[in-house]
Amino acid sequence: MNGRRAIRRLLALGLALGSLAGLYFAATLLLPPLLEPRFNRTHAPGPWPASPAAVAAHQAIPLIADMHADSLLWSRDLLRRSDIGHVDIPRLIEARVGLQAFTIVTKSPRGQNIDRNDADTDRITDLVIASGWPPRTWTSLFERALYQMNRLHGMAEADPRLRLLRSRQDLLQFEIDYQREQGQVAAWLGLEGAHALEGDLANLDRLHAAGLRMAGITHFFDNALGGSQHGMDKGGLTAFGRQAVARMQELGILVDLAHASDAVIADVLAMSTRPVVVSHGGVKGSCDNNRTLSDGQIFGIAATGGLIGIGYWPLAVCGEDALAIARAIRYVIDIAGVRHVALGSDFDGSVVTPFDTTGLPQITGALMEAGLTEAELALIMGGNVRRVLLETLPER
């Protein structure tokens, strides 16, 4: 009798576990498509038409680049066109975006704000589990980074429209091919906050080997490298942070100062030997808050030969249309010159934007209204990013 009871209990336990597993896998299929539309929205539904003159000018730009999109965090197949989120390969091709940074988010605090966050909570863990990522990613930020990088690798291997940029030679070859046929996108991998290194400098080399070519120091909280502008202490680079920045520049990883504290920005600018960037953000001259850069920081970044990528969401530009984006771009030009500004959308970064990537001709039109020439448009919309990538990527 005891044996039969034990067997019944085991069967009941197996059924319960099977039911739980079934519920979990059903949730991983159903929840992510329901969640993302809440976070990656537009102010108004598309399409987002531009004037015939703006469309023609947009089509004439040799190479368009965007320095920031968090699309790998979400479960969508980026090789297929979707009406969810802001970016996928078909929509990038329609918008004539030839160069796209895919940036990796590994941790983000609950109640996230631009003024003061600690590192004690993490809302990304919930998304990782709900999306059915491997268990190794549930507790390791480094494994989350690798998982997202491998997603992009898999898509590039599956579809010739998508290429992964690892070297200067990759970019030069892509340009040759892109002139022949524009229905393709070259992507490079960035990291939104180097807390994903988990305090181990060797992990930077491992991520570089996996294709990492741009890395932010911090995200919304202070970490082992230094302070975030939105953190509790907002300090400068730590000793580990200095080691990491030096190693990034040795490896050809572009240092990204988005979200960095004022002290970290000053420390990086003082030690930098190569161009640095802010991949996505704004400037106080057009939108004064804790998420935007001062005139002195604009000057400092430009002095390295670097770039400021202007974002598209209201906290970056104090507006909800392409005119606000163009105002921020115009301000950087007036302060530092046309060679030091670029597009940094923050698409798919849990922000609300005026349009998805297919609405880019509206920015071209707004810049034309701001009095920019065809040559200046070519630099802002992609030429500046091309220059910095050629200056920082490894040769091969």
Side-chain angles (χ1 to χ4, degrees):
M1 292 292 292
N2 289 336
R4 290 179 181 176
R5 285 197 194 98
I7 290 171
R8 283 198 295 270
R9 287 172 182 166
L10 286 172
L11 287 172
L13 179 61
L15 287 170
L17 290 174
S19 297
L20 288 173
L23 287 171
Y24 171 69
F25 287 115
T28 64
L29 293 174
L30 296 174
L31 282 177
L34 296 175
L35 286 172
E36 187 180 358
R38 294 177 51 202
F39 294 100
N40 299 322
R41 296 180 288 117
T42 57
H43 293 296
W48 301 276
S51 70
V55 171
H58 192 80
Q59 292 291 327
I61 295 169
L63 187 64
I64 297 170
D66 175 19
M67 295 178 67
H68 200 96
D70 294 332
S71 313
L72 294 172
L73 183 62
W74 308 95
S75 295
R76 283 179 289 118
D77 179 359
L78 299 181
L79 298 178
R80 299 176 61 184
R81 190 182 187 98
S82 175
D83 58 2
I84 297 174
H86 302 133
V87 165
D88 50 48
I89 301 307
R91 282 184 282 179
L92 288 170
I93 290 171
E94 178 183 331
R96 295 193 65 256
V97 177
L99 298 177
Q100 177 66 59
F102 285 104
T103 38
I104 296 162
V105 178
T106 60
K107 182 175 177 176
S108 182
R110 298 185 189 280
Q112 177 179 295
N113 62 83
I114 63 169
D115 295 314
R116 191 173 169 83
N117 305 272
D118 60 37
D120 296 341
T121 61
D122 176 30
R123 60 180 183 166
I124 301 301
T125 298
D126 298 339
L127 180 62
V128 164
I129 294 172
S131 299
W133 291 19
R136 66 180 182 275
T137 66
W138 295 4
T139 56
S140 170
L141 305 185
F142 175 74
E143 291 294 343
R144 290 178 193 178
L146 278 182
Y147 178 79
Q148 291 176 70
M149 295 171 81
N150 287 333
R151 280 196 69 204
L152 190 67
H153 280 284
M155 287 184 276
E157 291 168 3
D159 195 324
R161 296 175 301 171
L162 175 62
R163 299 196 195 181
L164 185 61
L165 290 183
R166 290 175 172 267
S167 68
R168 187 173 181 271
Q169 187 59 43
D170 287 345
L171 177 51
L172 292 173
Q173 184 59 55
F174 173 77
E175 286 188 293
I176 293 170
D177 297 339
Y178 192 71
Q179 288 175 355
R180 296 174 184 153
E181 183 179 355
Q182 293 181 350
Q184 50 192 318
V185 177
W188 78 97
L189 282 160
L191 184 64
E192 185 122 55
H195 41 271
L197 301 182
E198 297 183 333
D200 186 350
L201 197 61
N203 282 338
L204 182 62
D205 288 71
R206 295 186 184 106
L207 293 177
H208 176 264
L212 184 70
R213 294 299 181 265
M214 182 172 71
I217 307 299
T218 58
H219 196 201
F220 274 93
F221 51 90
D222 305 328
N223 64 30
L225 286 80
S228 165
Q229 190 66 3
H230 329 297
M232 303 296 284
D233 297 327
K234 301 177 174 60
L237 286 175
T238 65
F240 178 62
R242 292 179 184 278
Q243 290 179 318
V245 169
R247 185 61 177 152
M248 287 176 197
Q249 297 200 325
E250 288 174 10
L251 291 170
I253 296 174
L254 191 57
V255 177
D256 181 3
L257 294 175
H259 298 286
S261 68
D262 291 342
V264 163
I265 292 175
D267 287 346
V268 170
L269 293 179
M271 67 177 292
S272 182
T273 60
R274 309 187 79 171
V276 300
V277 301
V278 168
S279 67
H280 62 305
V283 292
K284 295 189 186 303
S286 72
C287 187
D288 189 359
N289 60 50
N290 205 36
R291 184 63 182 85
T292 56
L293 299 170
S294 69
D295 289 1
Q297 289 167 338
I298 295 171
F299 276 121
I301 292 162
T304 71
L307 296 175
I308 294 146
I310 298 299
Y312 302 170
W313 73 102
L315 275 173
V317 294
C318 288
E320 297 182 355
D321 58 19
L323 294 175
I325 299 166
R327 279 195 300 271
I329 291 171
R330 178 83 254 185
Y331 188 84
V332 177
I333 293 170
D334 292 341
I335 292 291
V338 73
R339 288 171 54 82
H340 300 290
V341 67
L343 305 180
S345 66
D346 200 20
F347 277 150
D348 292 330
S350 297
V351 293
V352 184
T353 59
F355 34 68
D356 70 13
T357 193
T358 63
L360 284 186
Q362 288 197 0
I363 297 179
T364 303
L367 292 171
M368 292 169 65
E369 289 182 30
L372 297 175
T373 66
E374 182 178 324
E376 289 171 327
L377 284 174
L379 291 174
I380 296 161
M381 300 295 286
N384 290 333
V385 171
R386 173 190 180 274
R387 170 183 60 81
V388 168
L389 287 176
L390 288 175
E391 290 179 17
T392 56
L393 286 171
E395 180 62 30
R396 294 185 182 277

